[in-house]
Amino acid sequence: MLIDTYGRVATDLRVSLTDRCNLRCTYCMPEEGLQWLAKPDLLTDDEIVRLIDIAVSSLGIEEVRFTGGEPLLRPGLVGIVERVAALTPRPRMSLTTNGIGLGRTATALEAAGLDRVNVSLDTLRPDVFKTLTRRDRHRDVLDGLRAAHDAGLTPVKVNTVLMPGLNDDEAPDLLAWALEHDYELRFIEQMPLDAQHGWKRDDMVTAGDILASLRTRFDLTPEGQDERGAAPAERWLVDGGPQRVGVIASVTRPFCAACDRTRLTADGQIRTCLFAREETDLREALRSGAPDEEIARRWRLAMWGKKAGAGLDDPSFVQPDRPMSAIGG
């Protein structure tokens, strides 16, 4: 079991498979990209599967989410999914992706054992997409979403970040589109995880702003805490349900007290939080021949020291050194 001093138990593992991405979203990284990890620093496919095996067999992990950067850029992704699906106990598996390439891989991922996907899409307007991502790939993302739905990787969840002056007027249109296509839309407040350190709280589109905009067109009924559990998204029934919309208010309404996550970076570091400034190195333990029991012990120790919260409401908050693309959002 992965328990911390506040009594929280981690059952959800986020695994970053690469720090690379084929988009350059303005809220994540600079236009020229970042200094990527060298290949020898990345965990191998075997190392990733071994760590996940330890997590599910010895540490109580029940769900695995593959992230990046962009996880579809990982050459061995389908094989990793297939091997994790064969573990005992078998964890639930999902993937967070920008959707580019999903049109080619959705069927193979479902056959390998992937359960569902989260796809990032911030706008319905191709010109705004190009401004936000610095790439002209809007159609590829829409095609990827359709392929995921057709392959049965459901519920397909769409993650959206609203930016002032760019797409902050699109919330109702995005929800209408998601309802039409049977996607579950989730708005995410912009977090201070950009490589440029340009995030400003005063410029952020808040959960309150998003809900006020949605209510100009839809009737929203809170789903309630009992249904939410440890999920990061607060959800509302739309026009009486059964369809829902979610808002992840990481900054204005943090959910740290219910957090059930542990994170593994692409280079084998354990992070207890997206905003943590400390890491625990499991790659060194793997490559020095440590047995599974020792790796599990180090993982437990790392999680025991998890802080009470992210500290975003603290005026002295200092942004983590790693951008979101290197942590696995």
Side-chain angles (χ1 to χ4, degrees), residues 115-188:
D115 295 304
R116 63 172 192 82
V117 295
N118 286 30
V119 179
S120 298
L121 179 65
D122 300 324
T123 178
L124 298 176
R125 304 192 293 246
D127 59 324
V128 176
F129 182 92
K130 188 174 181 179
T131 299
L132 278 167
T133 67
R134 305 185 179 103
R135 298 290 187 271
D136 190 12
R137 306 296 298 272
H138 190 255
R139 173 49 56 185
D140 293 322
V141 179
L142 295 180
D143 290 346
L145 278 161
R146 187 179 305 108
H149 189 276
D150 291 347
L153 295 172
T154 55
V156 174
K157 296 184 179 181
V158 178
N159 294 339
T160 296
V161 176
L162 297 181
M163 301 288 289
L166 286 173
N167 62 339
D168 55 338
D169 61 333
E170 287 195 68
D173 290 340
L174 280 159
L175 180 52
W177 166 82
L179 296 175
E180 178 186 352
H181 290 85
D182 194 29
Y183 305 145
E184 184 175 321
L185 183 61
R186 309 190 316 165
F187 293 97
I188 304 175

Side-chain angles (χ1 to χ4, degrees), residues 14 55 64 118 225-226 244:
R14 305 298 169 100
V64 175
N118 286 30
Q225 185 59 46
D226 289 344
R244 297 168 173 82

Side-chain angles (χ1 to χ4, degrees), residues 153-315:
L153 295 172
T154 55
V156 174
K157 296 184 179 181
V158 178
N159 294 339
T160 296
V161 176
L162 297 181
M163 301 288 289
L166 286 173
N167 62 339
D168 55 338
D169 61 333
E170 287 195 68
D173 290 340
L174 280 159
L175 180 52
W177 166 82
L179 296 175
E180 178 186 352
H181 290 85
D182 194 29
Y183 305 145
E184 184 175 321
L185 183 61
R186 309 190 316 165
F187 293 97
I188 304 175
E189 289 182 337
Q190 184 196 2
M191 294 179 283
L193 289 167
D194 57 309
Q196 311 92 295
H197 290 197
W199 178 88
K200 294 181 181 178
R201 189 185 183 104
D202 292 344
D203 295 339
M204 184 184 67
V205 180
T206 68
D209 298 331
I210 295 164
L211 292 170
S213 179
L214 293 176
R215 285 185 169 120
T216 63
R217 196 182 304 179
F218 301 96
D219 179 51
L220 303 181
T221 305
E223 187 176 54
Q225 185 59 46
D226 289 344
E227 291 291 332
R228 181 182 182 185
E234 296 179 76
R235 297 199 303 182
W236 283 261
L237 296 174
V238 181
D239 293 336
Q243 292 174 299
R244 297 168 173 82
V245 63
V247 178
I248 299 177
S250 304
V251 177
T252 61
R253 295 205 286 265
F255 41 88
C256 301
C259 181
D260 65 348
R261 299 179 183 182
T262 182
R263 297 176 180 276
L264 177 65
T265 67
D267 56 348
Q269 311 300 306
I270 289 299
R271 295 179 67 91
T272 59
C273 173
L274 267 175
F275 302 100
R277 297 187 62 80
E278 303 84 22
E279 298 178 332
T280 298
D281 188 359
L282 296 187
R283 184 187 63 195
E284 178 276 331
L286 285 171
R287 295 180 181 179
S288 65
D292 289 359
E293 294 78 10
E294 171 60 17
I295 292 170
R297 185 192 70 81
R298 295 190 189 192
W299 205 328
R300 290 190 190 98
L301 186 62
M303 294 304 295
W304 182 250
K306 184 173 182 174
K307 294 182 179 179
L312 296 180
D313 54 351
D314 186 339

